[in-house]
Amino acid sequence: MLTTILFYVFSAVLVGAALGVVLSRNPVHAALCLVLAFFNSAALWLLLEAEFLGIVLVLVYVGAVMVLFLFVVMMLDINVAQLREGFTRYAPLGAMVALLMIGEIVYAVWFRQLGVNLAGSAPALAPGSNTAALGELLYSKYMLPSELASVVLLVAIVAAIVLTLRRRPNLKQQDINAQVAVRSIDRVRIMKVDSVTRS
Amino acid sequence: MTAVSTSYLHDLTLSLPEVFLLGATLVVLFVDLFISQAHRQLTYLLSLLTLVGTVVLLVAVPEGRHVGFAGMYVTDGFARLIKLMTAGTVAAAFLYSRDYLIKRGLFKGEYFVLALFATLGIFVMASAGNLLTMYLGIELLALSQYALVAFDRDSPIAAESAMKYFVLGAIASGVLLYGISIIYGVTGTFDLSMLAQRLDAHALTQVGLLFGLAFVMAGVAFKFGAVPFHMWIPDVYHGAPTPVTLFLGAAPKLAYFALSFRVLAEGLGSMAGAWQGMLMVLAVLSIAVGNVVAVSQTNLKRMLAYSTISNVGFILLGFLTATPFGYRAALLYTITYVLMALGSFAMIILLSRKGFEADRIDDFKGLAQRSPWFAWMMLFFMVGTAGVPPFAGFFAKLYVIQALVEVGFTWLAVVAVLFSVVGAFYYLRVVKAMFFDAPADDAPIGGAFSFKVLLSLNGLAVLALGLFNTPLVELVAKALR
């Protein structure tokens, strides 16, 4: 009972937030609405007892992707009016794509028997925490792929550094050590100037 | 679960070459951080030592087929041969590229580190027992390659070609992954041997599987550079610094052969009826476009790029017979081609000097007067790739054609031979420039002693493997039983 109520509450907020993403005029508001939508989808995952997916959704999408997104949106001065110029022109195309997708979803939900399932349906979720189950799989059966994935990430770091870090020999920059170690005799010269009496 | 965890020691012993290669690469990466440019030779020597150590461990791996990491990792004669050839090819690429890199201020540790990571990627692909490991190996290799192509930061043409390669490569990886996910959706497994069990004669009638196979095939064709997925090859080969082109043109071809063998022949072997037709189109188009377009090239690197495309067509021709003999012919062809590609690109490096790239065919004019020995070596590489007896390339082509005729694809064999005749024209044009034209410049031929020795050995190997080709044939036959 409580789960059902929670489901409808989260779903309602999710749908509202999703509408906000599309309809709000201010891109920052749209991005914040997307964050709200992510939070509510994470809550829905939690209701389904898929807590790992819920946590990852918050950590990765809210914590990393959307923050970057907000940065970009705030830094770029986006003229919304200009973006909407071609709206009416592309509206029929958009509607067509939307209808097509609705059709596909309906087809997939109602006529799922495509005769391609050799393996049978997926086994039911094991009782207990699925984070623990995933972790155990990741470090036992899938140890090699997860280690390899980390090597791929390392290569990405090395490649990014190779391609962006560059020492420019003629770049003017501060040398703090030299600045601190400077002595007065390096900078101030005391000159003896003969006094001249003007007649 | 406990059975899996107790066997880790066994898994690690099996994959000792990879474990060592990764560990040693990380050591090279760290050591390189702390040494000055004057001691950069140390990085180079350590990288070579890494490869030597890997080869030693590879030889010590127990013979026969062994499976580790819950089926993710497979080691057998095929994996061993691919890995040994890769280690040798990469070591040769290091030796060839040292002087060139030093002269152009590109002698940095990252070149070697990235190339070693690419080698690890090839090793992973050769030993993949699962589509997941295979994909990770492909990405490891591809990421290192993108970075290597863009390695020369001051060259706008290198940056441009790296960008093209990266964008197209990312799309191809996506396509491949999409195909893999569809195959997973239909069969419920990533494991290649399990896949082979679950697919039977009915597989050919399943639309979902054929759909997935088509996407996988597009990914494989892009990686190989088969027409119509070949657009990146000429630009990348031309734009990348020559040592990187040499690297790209050689070792990864072995990896892509491993990719097609593991996925198409081992995993989707019962769908051969479907992929044969697709490969036929790819192979014929590759041989036709590669050979015809290469004729009009004046840049040697671009010409060799189109020659790569036509040679890939030949590899695919051997492969599409789907018979053990055909696979062997294709592997033999790949190895022979890698040997000749190494030599051809090394010749460009030999004639290049600071501020001058000898990458036009005109730059080879009159080489016979400047250095008769190396003119003959280049003749070996060119004529060998063209497929003239008694060089190695001739026998490689012969076996592929024999495999085709054996399964009744005589018309394919005829097409292949016809286009090879067209191809002979542009290889011989280089030979003509070297022996019958007056030299355009008379700068002395540079190159370190080790470079010249290796290049000579490489050239003589092309001749020797043609005259006495039984050892290589037996090696390949042992690997692909």
Side-chain angles (χ1 to χ4, degrees):
Chain A
M1 182 60 197
L2 182 66
T3 330
T4 322
I5 294 172
L6 279 175
F7 171 77
Y8 280 111
V9 171
F10 286 131
S11 306
V13 180
L14 173 60
V15 173
L19 284 175
V21 176
V22 187
L23 297 178
S24 79
R25 287 191 172 273
N26 187 331
V28 178
H29 290 174
L32 288 173
C33 278
L34 195 54
V35 171
L36 185 63
F38 280 145
F39 264 115
N40 282 285
S41 339
L44 288 181
W45 280 123
L46 286 180
L47 283 180
L48 284 172
E49 294 182 21
E51 78 276 4
F52 182 74
L53 287 176
I55 294 166
V56 167
L57 191 64
V58 172
L59 279 183
V60 176
Y61 277 87
V62 178
V65 175
M66 283 319 294
V67 170
L68 269 181
F69 218 91
L70 271 178
F71 265 127
V72 173
V73 167
M74 285 177 178
M75 279 207 256
L76 297 177
D77 188 20
I78 298 169
N79 188 348
V80 183
Q82 211 174 21
L83 280 178
R84 295 197 175 197
E85 247 167 25
F87 182 73
T88 42
R89 201 147 45 96
Y90 295 116
L93 188 71
M96 237 171 67
V97 172
L99 278 178
L100 204 69
M101 279 176 73
I102 291 174
E104 281 175 346
I105 293 171
V106 168
Y107 179 78
V109 172
W110 265 279
F111 311 94
R112 243 192 320 204
Q113 280 76 29
L114 292 170
V116 289
N117 199 341
L118 287 182
S121 58
L125 275 180
S129 145
N130 60 42
T131 314
L134 273 174
E136 203 162 313
L137 268 182
L138 216 52
Y139 285 96
S140 57
K141 191 180 169 197
Y142 293 97
M143 191 184 91
L144 184 66
S146 59
E147 292 292 327
L148 284 174
S150 65
V151 179
V152 171
L153 289 179
L154 176 68
V155 171
I157 297 172
V158 173
I161 293 174
V162 170
L163 298 184
T164 52
L165 182 74
R166 146 137 77 170
R167 296 194 205 297
R168 284 171 198 174
N170 48 4
L171 195 70
K172 290 196 169 71
Q173 54 187 8
Q174 279 186 307
D175 186 349
I176 309 285
N177 279 341
Q179 286 180 334
V180 172
V182 80
R183 290 162 303 165
S184 57
I185 36 171
D186 297 336
R187 296 290 162 86
V188 183
R189 255 187 315 152
I190 296 170
M191 301 184 71
K192 277 252 184 278
V193 182
D194 292 332
S195 57
V196 179
T197 11
R198 284 174 195 265
S199 52
Chain B
M1 211 60 74
T2 43
V4 173
S5 47
T6 46
S7 63
Y8 274 163
L9 201 62
H10 166 251
D11 294 345
L12 284 179
T13 346
L14 270 188
S15 60
L16 207 55
E18 281 86 353
V19 174
F20 173 79
L21 179 57
L22 175 60
T25 308
L26 296 181
V27 170
V28 174
L29 183 64
F30 261 92
V31 168
D32 183 66
L33 263 185
F34 294 104
I35 57 177
S36 65
Q37 187 61 35
H39 298 101
R40 203 60 70 196
Q41 297 282 354
L42 185 64
T43 312
Y44 166 75
L45 288 176
L46 280 179
S47 310
L48 279 181
L49 268 182
T50 303
L51 289 170
V52 171
T54 312
V55 167
V56 170
L57 288 172
L58 272 174
V59 174
V61 168
E63 297 228 5
R65 187 183 164 91
H66 300 277
V67 179
F69 292 106
M72 302 271 172
Y73 180 92
V74 176
T75 167
D76 50 12
F78 172 70
R80 253 158 69 106
L81 181 63
I82 292 279
K83 288 177 194 173
L84 282 172
M85 286 291 161
T86 304
T89 313
V90 175
F94 283 174
L95 281 164
Y96 280 142
S97 31
R98 192 187 62 163
D99 284 350
Y100 184 99
L101 295 174
I102 292 177
K103 276 184 206 151
R104 282 161 185 75
L106 289 172
F107 195 56
K108 295 181 200 151
E110 287 84 3
Y111 173 80
F112 299 102
V113 170
L114 285 170
L116 286 176
F117 274 126
T119 313
L120 182 65
I122 299 175
F123 275 40
V124 170
M125 287 167 77
S127 270
N130 192 300
L131 287 171
L132 218 54
T133 4
M134 180 58 86
Y135 182 73
L136 285 165
I138 294 173
E139 280 304 286
L140 193 54
L141 173 61
L143 265 183
S144 317
Q145 282 181 313
Y146 305 146
L148 278 173
V149 172
F151 181 66
D152 183 5
R153 293 261 325 258
D154 296 322
S155 156
I157 180 171
E160 184 194 325
S161 61
M163 199 63 211
K164 276 181 192 158
Y165 190 21
F166 177 67
V167 172
L168 288 175
I171 294 173
S173 290
V175 166
L176 181 70
L177 202 56
Y178 188 51
I180 290 177
S181 72
I182 294 173
I183 289 177
Y184 177 76
V186 176
T187 61
T189 181
F190 280 130
D191 194 281
L192 286 170
S193 51
M194 199 100 87
L195 205 59
Q197 280 172 20
R198 287 200 185 161
L199 297 178
D200 45 16
H202 293 297
L204 282 181
T205 58
Q206 290 198 326
V207 182
L209 270 179
L210 290 176
F211 200 63
L213 176 69
F215 278 97
V216 169
M217 190 59 87
V220 171
F222 174 88
K223 293 290 170 196
F224 254 128
V227 181
F229 303 98
H230 66 292
M231 297 298 183
W232 61 276
I233 289 225
D235 286 343
V236 171
Y237 275 36
H238 183 201
T242 312
V244 175
T245 313
L246 181 143
F247 180 83
L248 295 186
K253 296 285 176 284
L254 293 163
Y256 302 141
F257 183 83
L259 163 71
S260 0
F261 181 72
R262 291 273 186 227
V263 175
L264 296 179
E266 285 194 346
L268 303 171
S270 46
M271 297 185 73
W275 53 252
Q276 254 177 346
M278 301 184 195
L279 280 182
M280 221 178 269
V281 176
L282 291 173
V284 170
L285 281 177
S286 299
I287 293 183
V289 172
N291 278 322
V292 171
V293 181
V295 168
S296 64
Q297 303 298 320
T298 52
N299 183 299
L300 190 58
K301 271 160 105 179
R302 280 192 101 80
M303 189 200 97
L304 287 174
Y306 282 104
S307 137
T308 302
I309 296 172
S310 69
N311 280 298
V312 162
F314 254 97
I315 295 173
L316 295 182
L317 274 185
F319 198 88
L320 68 81
T321 57
T323 56
F325 184 74
Y327 294 142
R328 271 181 229 159
L331 180 56
L332 186 79
Y333 197 96
T334 314
I335 292 172
T336 320
Y337 170 70
V338 163
L339 199 66
M340 293 184 295
L342 265 182
S344 314
F345 286 113
M347 280 303 298
I348 300 181
I349 295 183
L350 179 75
L351 293 194
S352 301
R353 46 183 189 270
K354 194 175 166 63
F356 173 73
E357 280 292 314
D359 63 353
R360 290 173 309 144
I361 295 175
D362 289 349
D363 296 329
F364 279 73
K365 271 186 181 168
L367 185 64
Q369 291 168 39
R370 290 165 65 197
S371 165
W373 174 252
F374 287 107
W376 277 99
M377 287 299 128
M378 188 63 177
L379 175 103
F380 285 7
F381 296 132
M382 288 294 115
V383 173
T385 324
V388 174
F391 297 98
F394 167 72
F395 288 100
K397 279 195 165 66
L398 186 68
Y399 286 124
V400 167
I401 287 167
Q402 200 182 333
L404 280 174
V405 173
E406 235 171 45
V407 287
F409 289 136
T410 317
W411 68 273
L412 274 179
V414 171
V415 169
V417 171
L418 281 180
F419 279 108
S420 295
V421 174
V422 176
F425 168 76
Y426 60 87
Y427 295 117
L428 290 179
R429 200 169 56 166
V430 178
V431 174
K432 181 225 161 212
M434 287 190 305
F435 285 87
F436 300 107
D437 288 351
D441 72 313
D442 45 5
I445 306 281
F449 180 69
S450 59
F451 185 104
K452 288 182 169 172
V453 170
L454 185 66
L455 186 55
S456 307
L457 284 178
N458 196 339
L460 293 176
V462 172
L463 181 62
L465 287 178
L467 291 175
F468 316 99
N469 61 348
T470 21
L472 189 62
V473 172
E474 275 171 5
L475 205 66
V476 168
K478 214 177 119 196
L480 287 180
R481 235 190 283 272

